[in-house]
Amino acid sequence: MTQIIVLPHEELCPEGAVIEATPGKSICQNLLDHDIELDHACEMSCACTTCHVIVREGFAALEDASETEEDLLDKAWGLEPNSRLGCQAVVNDTPLVVEIPKYSINMAKEGHR
């Protein structure tokens, strides 16, 4: 197991969390497995930006983003150099610190939040 520290998010994880993640699963799936309801409007098919996360620590250890993911990230609210789509960033043996942005552009469920 690999540790993911989730920084506090006022709606999804007000206290923050430390979870034991399963390597080989995406950040999004690991958060969902621990009852942190990260938006994933496209059902984790790399077709939207609702699962956008900012990887504050451990970013360099992740596999590079695909061209499709990079193109979608350009549309994400609050994009930073260490942004990833949670559904595409696969956890490995490196611990991560993840921030869920305050807002997401929910292209599939406009006006969701």
mmCIF file of all heavy atoms in Angstrom, residues 35-52:
data_model
loop_
_atom_site.group_PDB
_atom_site.id
_atom_site.type_symbol
_atom_site.label_atom_id
_atom_site.label_comp_id
_atom_site.label_asym_id
_atom_site.label_seq_id
_atom_site.Cartn_x
_atom_site.Cartn_y
_atom_site.Cartn_z
ATOM 1 N N ASP A 35 -14.130 6.662 0.334
ATOM 2 C CA ASP A 35 -15.294 7.529 0.562
ATOM 3 C C ASP A 35 -15.005 9.015 0.406
ATOM 4 O O ASP A 35 -15.659 9.850 1.037
ATOM 5 C CB ASP A 35 -15.926 7.241 1.928
ATOM 6 C CG ASP A 35 -16.393 5.797 2.046
ATOM 7 O OD1 ASP A 35 -16.969 5.286 1.073
ATOM 8 O OD2 ASP A 35 -16.144 5.185 3.102
ATOM 9 N N ILE A 36 -14.030 9.361 -0.426
ATOM 10 C CA ILE A 36 -13.797 10.751 -0.790
ATOM 11 C C ILE A 36 -14.365 10.891 -2.206
ATOM 12 O O ILE A 36 -13.796 10.371 -3.162
ATOM 13 C CB ILE A 36 -12.298 11.116 -0.729
ATOM 14 C CG1 ILE A 36 -11.779 10.909 0.695
ATOM 15 C CG2 ILE A 36 -12.086 12.558 -1.197
ATOM 16 C CD1 ILE A 36 -10.281 11.016 0.833
ATOM 17 N N GLU A 37 -15.509 11.532 -2.308
ATOM 18 C CA GLU A 37 -16.304 11.532 -3.532
ATOM 19 C C GLU A 37 -15.823 12.539 -4.572
ATOM 20 O O GLU A 37 -16.522 13.497 -4.910
ATOM 21 C CB GLU A 37 -17.777 11.767 -3.182
ATOM 22 C CG GLU A 37 -18.392 10.653 -2.360
ATOM 23 C CD GLU A 37 -18.384 9.302 -3.076
ATOM 24 O OE1 GLU A 37 -18.628 9.260 -4.301
ATOM 25 O OE2 GLU A 37 -18.121 8.285 -2.404
ATOM 26 N N LEU A 38 -14.644 12.308 -5.109
ATOM 27 C CA LEU A 38 -14.095 13.135 -6.175
ATOM 28 C C LEU A 38 -15.001 13.013 -7.396
ATOM 29 O O LEU A 38 -15.355 11.898 -7.804
ATOM 30 C CB LEU A 38 -12.672 12.668 -6.510
ATOM 31 C CG LEU A 38 -11.913 13.475 -7.545
ATOM 32 C CD1 LEU A 38 -11.661 14.897 -7.047
ATOM 33 C CD2 LEU A 38 -10.591 12.794 -7.880
ATOM 34 N N ASP A 39 -15.388 14.175 -7.965
ATOM 35 C CA ASP A 39 -16.207 14.140 -9.179
ATOM 36 C C ASP A 39 -15.502 13.334 -10.258
ATOM 37 O O ASP A 39 -14.277 13.380 -10.401
ATOM 38 C CB ASP A 39 -16.438 15.559 -9.710
ATOM 39 C CG ASP A 39 -17.536 16.301 -8.977
ATOM 40 O OD1 ASP A 39 -18.338 15.659 -8.280
ATOM 41 O OD2 ASP A 39 -17.591 17.540 -9.117
ATOM 42 N N HIS A 40 -16.297 12.616 -11.033
ATOM 43 C CA HIS A 40 -15.773 11.852 -12.164
ATOM 44 C C HIS A 40 -16.913 11.640 -13.154
ATOM 45 O O HIS A 40 -17.401 10.536 -13.374
ATOM 46 C CB HIS A 40 -15.138 10.527 -11.712
ATOM 47 C CG HIS A 40 -16.032 9.656 -10.890
ATOM 48 N ND1 HIS A 40 -16.351 9.952 -9.587
ATOM 49 C CD2 HIS A 40 -16.682 8.516 -11.194
ATOM 50 C CE1 HIS A 40 -17.168 9.018 -9.116
ATOM 51 N NE2 HIS A 40 -17.389 8.137 -10.080
ATOM 52 N N ALA A 41 -17.362 12.756 -13.733
ATOM 53 C CA ALA A 41 -18.562 12.773 -14.561
ATOM 54 C C ALA A 41 -18.485 11.852 -15.776
ATOM 55 O O ALA A 41 -19.508 11.343 -16.221
ATOM 56 C CB ALA A 41 -18.876 14.199 -15.006
ATOM 57 N N CYS A 42 -17.305 11.614 -16.291
ATOM 58 C CA CYS A 42 -17.170 10.758 -17.474
ATOM 59 C C CYS A 42 -16.904 9.302 -17.102
ATOM 60 O O CYS A 42 -16.545 8.500 -17.957
ATOM 61 C CB CYS A 42 -16.083 11.286 -18.405
ATOM 62 S SG CYS A 42 -14.397 11.064 -17.788
ATOM 63 N N GLU A 43 -17.095 8.989 -15.824
ATOM 64 C CA GLU A 43 -16.861 7.623 -15.321
ATOM 65 C C GLU A 43 -15.421 7.168 -15.543
ATOM 66 O O GLU A 43 -15.160 6.023 -15.877
ATOM 67 C CB GLU A 43 -17.864 6.631 -15.928
ATOM 68 C CG GLU A 43 -19.305 6.947 -15.573
ATOM 69 C CD GLU A 43 -19.585 6.963 -14.072
ATOM 70 O OE1 GLU A 43 -19.037 6.119 -13.343
ATOM 71 O OE2 GLU A 43 -20.352 7.842 -13.642
ATOM 72 N N MET A 44 -14.490 8.110 -15.376
ATOM 73 C CA MET A 44 -13.055 7.849 -15.430
ATOM 74 C C MET A 44 -12.576 7.387 -16.807
ATOM 75 O O MET A 44 -11.686 6.549 -16.914
ATOM 76 C CB MET A 44 -12.646 6.866 -14.335
ATOM 77 C CG MET A 44 -12.890 7.411 -12.941
ATOM 78 S SD MET A 44 -12.320 6.345 -11.625
ATOM 79 C CE MET A 44 -13.808 5.387 -11.335
ATOM 80 N N SER A 45 -13.152 7.975 -17.874
ATOM 81 C CA SER A 45 -12.764 7.588 -19.230
ATOM 82 C C SER A 45 -11.890 8.635 -19.933
ATOM 83 O O SER A 45 -11.701 8.557 -21.139
ATOM 84 C CB SER A 45 -14.015 7.320 -20.071
ATOM 85 O OG SER A 45 -14.759 8.515 -20.241
ATOM 86 N N CYS A 46 -11.373 9.599 -19.172
ATOM 87 C CA CYS A 46 -10.516 10.657 -19.713
ATOM 88 C C CYS A 46 -11.263 11.469 -20.772
ATOM 89 O O CYS A 46 -10.776 11.707 -21.869
ATOM 90 C CB CYS A 46 -9.211 10.091 -20.280
ATOM 91 S SG CYS A 46 -7.940 11.371 -20.551
ATOM 92 N N ALA A 47 -12.483 11.894 -20.415
ATOM 93 C CA ALA A 47 -13.294 12.677 -21.345
ATOM 94 C C ALA A 47 -13.772 13.995 -20.744
ATOM 95 O O ALA A 47 -14.536 14.710 -21.381
ATOM 96 C CB ALA A 47 -14.488 11.843 -21.803
ATOM 97 N N CYS A 48 -13.365 14.311 -19.520
ATOM 98 C CA CYS A 48 -13.759 15.576 -18.885
ATOM 99 C C CYS A 48 -12.652 15.997 -17.928
ATOM 100 O O CYS A 48 -11.592 15.377 -17.908
ATOM 101 C CB CYS A 48 -15.108 15.434 -18.162
ATOM 102 S SG CYS A 48 -15.081 14.474 -16.635
ATOM 103 N N THR A 49 -12.900 17.021 -17.130
ATOM 104 C CA THR A 49 -11.877 17.485 -16.190
ATOM 105 C C THR A 49 -12.377 17.483 -14.747
ATOM 106 O O THR A 49 -11.750 18.088 -13.880
ATOM 107 C CB THR A 49 -11.409 18.910 -16.535
ATOM 108 O OG1 THR A 49 -12.511 19.814 -16.394
ATOM 109 C CG2 THR A 49 -10.846 18.983 -17.937
ATOM 110 N N THR A 50 -13.448 16.807 -14.479
ATOM 111 C CA THR A 50 -14.054 16.900 -13.145
ATOM 112 C C THR A 50 -13.213 16.261 -12.053
ATOM 113 O O THR A 50 -13.381 16.585 -10.886
ATOM 114 C CB THR A 50 -15.466 16.294 -13.125
ATOM 115 O OG1 THR A 50 -15.401 14.925 -13.507
ATOM 116 C CG2 THR A 50 -16.392 17.049 -14.061
ATOM 117 N N CYS A 51 -12.297 15.372 -12.390
ATOM 118 C CA CYS A 51 -11.458 14.719 -11.384
ATOM 119 C C CYS A 51 -10.075 15.368 -11.277
ATOM 120 O O CYS A 51 -9.147 14.775 -10.734
ATOM 121 C CB CYS A 51 -11.328 13.226 -11.672
ATOM 122 S SG CYS A 51 -10.413 12.849 -13.182
ATOM 123 N N HIS A 52 -9.963 16.603 -11.754
ATOM 124 C CA HIS A 52 -8.692 17.333 -11.700
ATOM 125 C C HIS A 52 -8.186 17.411 -10.266
ATOM 126 O O HIS A 52 -8.924 17.769 -9.357
ATOM 127 C CB HIS A 52 -8.911 18.742 -12.272
ATOM 128 C CG HIS A 52 -7.787 19.687 -12.043
ATOM 129 N ND1 HIS A 52 -8.003 20.984 -11.638
ATOM 130 C CD2 HIS A 52 -6.443 19.550 -12.165
ATOM 131 C CE1 HIS A 52 -6.842 21.606 -11.521
ATOM 132 N NE2 HIS A 52 -5.881 20.750 -11.834
#
